[in-house]
Amino acid sequence: MKKIIFVDNPNECLEEIKQLIRIVYEGFMALSHDYGYHINNVFGDAAKGKVEIYELRDSINYRIRSANLHFYLLLIQKAEIERRFTAMLEKDPTCFDGFWGSNPYFENAADEIMAIYDSIIFHLSSCFDYLAMLTQYVFGKNPQTKLQWITLVKHCYNPNGEFSGRKFVANIKKVDADFVSKFNDYRAELIHRKKSTSFANVSLKIKSGRGKVITQFECSEKIKSNLKKIISQDLDYCVTFASFKLIKETLLDISLVLNGMYDEFRENYKPHTPIIKQGGFQIVSMNPDTGFAESPALSNWEKFMEYKKFQQITL
């Protein structure tokens, strides 16, 4: 059985993703605070229903957490398949022998794993469309426009477009070129042209004779090709490990875009002049050293910048 990289410490991977989700949420909180301080004083508008910027923020957070939940379910299902196969072998050591061509037990197991994997792909891909809508809402000329990611990227490449000169444009271009465009093509292929089980091969290893069974749902060359920016083409991976890397990459790419928005607010908006709405109230943070009002987002941004400690390393 060849060496396949897999999630050998599930709790460690789950904890890493949990920490990144918390950090990214600090970034979204910071963005909404900067929006309320610099662009549109929405503080206190909750009585009219949840303000849309908070809805968009929470929609992205929902997609991220849903992907993480399905990653957890993927790990659980892999363990359940191994338990099932172990029990089958203990009852009949020849239960996997004698099949011509494909093995139906392996095929059914692959279907179970890849069905969960598909959900991870779909949730993660949706994050970027929500991020495009949030970008349009905060910085666009028509905030209510429901922008898709691909359209946002086109705007960013337009030298005369509405985002021309914005600090976050270079970050969006980089994220799209390095990951999102290829990832969205892959998502479209899964939906419209080929089911996911065509992308994984199942192998089985038995420890100590008829003891514990270990299954590996190996990524095909097709998966590795579509994810070549985050996993090496020269190594072999289990679908569980590829899923972990996908979630982490998505969180880091979202963070890079948010970092560009942080730069935009710090460089192109006046730090001590909050927007005041007549009859409303404004939330500010007072700088103890200068005595000037500042955006309440700054403490959230400081926590958010911890994302840089998690920079992706391709394996």
Side-chain angles (χ1 to χ4, degrees):
M1 184 177 185
K2 64 181 178 181
K3 179 178 175 60
I4 299 176
I5 300 172
F6 67 104
V7 174
D8 58 350
N9 192 330
N11 289 333
E12 185 177 291
C13 291
L14 289 166
E15 180 59 28
E16 183 173 355
I17 296 301
K18 180 181 176 181
Q19 290 183 42
L20 259 177
I21 289 174
R22 175 185 58 78
I23 290 168
V24 170
Y25 189 70
E26 290 288 348
F28 284 121
M29 287 292 292
L31 179 64
S32 60
H33 286 331
D34 264 341
Y35 174 80
Y37 183 87
H38 291 291
I39 297 176
N40 182 12
N41 181 198
V42 294
F43 301 121
D45 284 353
K48 304 173 184 177
K50 184 177 280 190
V51 180
E52 187 167 357
I53 188 171
Y54 302 135
E55 291 182 344
L56 290 168
R57 176 198 67 190
D58 293 345
S59 293
I60 299 175
N61 191 51
Y62 165 76
R63 290 296 179 184
I64 291 170
R65 290 183 178 277
S66 295
N68 189 45
L69 171 62
H70 282 82
F71 176 54
Y72 171 77
L73 294 175
L74 186 70
L75 296 171
I76 293 294
Q77 190 60 31
K78 181 175 181 292
E80 166 58 24
I81 290 168
E82 290 172 350
R83 184 205 61 76
R84 185 198 314 160
F85 284 179
T86 298
M88 291 171 62
L89 283 170
E90 288 176 350
K91 185 177 181 180
D92 178 8
T94 65
C95 64
F96 296 130
D97 299 340
F99 292 104
W100 290 94
S102 60
N103 183 316
Y105 295 112
F106 290 0
E107 285 189 347
N108 290 337
D111 281 342
E112 294 169 11
I113 290 294
M114 300 310 287
I116 302 173
Y117 171 80
D118 276 359
S119 294
I120 294 173
I121 297 294
F122 301 149
H123 280 299
L124 292 180
S125 181
S126 295
C127 289
F128 293 101
D129 283 332
Y130 280 113
L131 185 58
M133 286 188 280
L134 184 61
T135 304
Q136 176 71 18
Y137 186 85
V138 175
F139 298 105
K141 295 177 182 177
N142 299 301
Q144 303 300 326
T145 303
K146 304 302 182 185
L147 212 61
Q148 290 185 316
W149 175 263
I150 189 172
T151 307
L152 172 65
V153 173
K154 290 178 181 177
H155 285 326
C156 288
Y157 276 98
N158 182 355
N160 301 313
E162 60 183 297
F163 300 123
S164 177
R166 296 287 192 179
K167 299 295 294 185
F168 54 80
V169 165
N171 297 32
I172 288 174
K173 289 180 179 179
K174 176 175 175 54
V175 164
D176 185 70
D178 287 352
F179 177 66
V180 182
S181 62
K182 190 75 171 176
F183 183 52
N184 281 342
D185 289 343
Y186 175 46
R187 187 272 306 266
E189 184 168 8
L190 291 183
I191 293 175
H192 300 298
R193 293 189 287 277
K194 186 175 288 188
K195 71 172 186 171
S196 289
T197 44
S198 303
F199 296 110
N201 306 309
V202 185
S203 57
L204 181 147
K205 181 178 181 181
I206 304 174
K207 281 189 175 181
S208 302
R210 290 170 53 193
K212 178 179 173 57
V213 168
I214 297 175
T215 57
Q216 301 291 6
F217 297 86
E218 181 187 356
C219 295
S220 67
E221 293 302 317
K222 184 70 174 180
I223 289 180
K224 292 199 293 183
S225 174
N226 281 281
L227 306 183
K228 63 184 179 181
K229 293 293 183 178
I230 60 173
I231 59 177
S232 170
Q233 304 299 285
D234 301 323
L235 301 174
D236 297 303
Y237 303 89
C238 181
V239 169
T240 55
F241 187 82
S243 299
F244 165 68
K245 296 286 280 187
L246 271 170
I247 296 172
K248 185 175 178 180
E249 180 67 28
T250 298
L251 289 167
L252 290 173
D253 282 351
I254 290 172
S255 297
L256 187 61
V257 174
L258 287 172
N259 202 151
M261 294 176 180
Y262 165 84
D263 294 337
E264 176 68 24
F265 276 117
R266 302 289 77 77
E267 296 187 30
N268 293 326
Y269 288 80
K270 296 178 181 179
H272 310 305
T273 55
I275 298 295
I276 303 295
K277 183 185 296 182
Q278 186 175 2
F281 68 90
Q282 178 61 275
I283 299 176
V284 301
S285 175
M286 299 303 297
N287 187 314
D289 297 322
T290 65
F292 290 120
E294 293 180 337
S295 171
L298 293 177
S299 61
N300 298 104
W301 283 124
E302 184 178 359
K303 296 174 184 176
F304 162 75
M305 292 302 171
E306 294 179 18
Y307 87 88
K308 296 178 181 180
K309 300 176 183 177
F310 293 82
Q311 294 294 337
Q312 190 79 283
I313 299 174
T314 301
L315 292 176

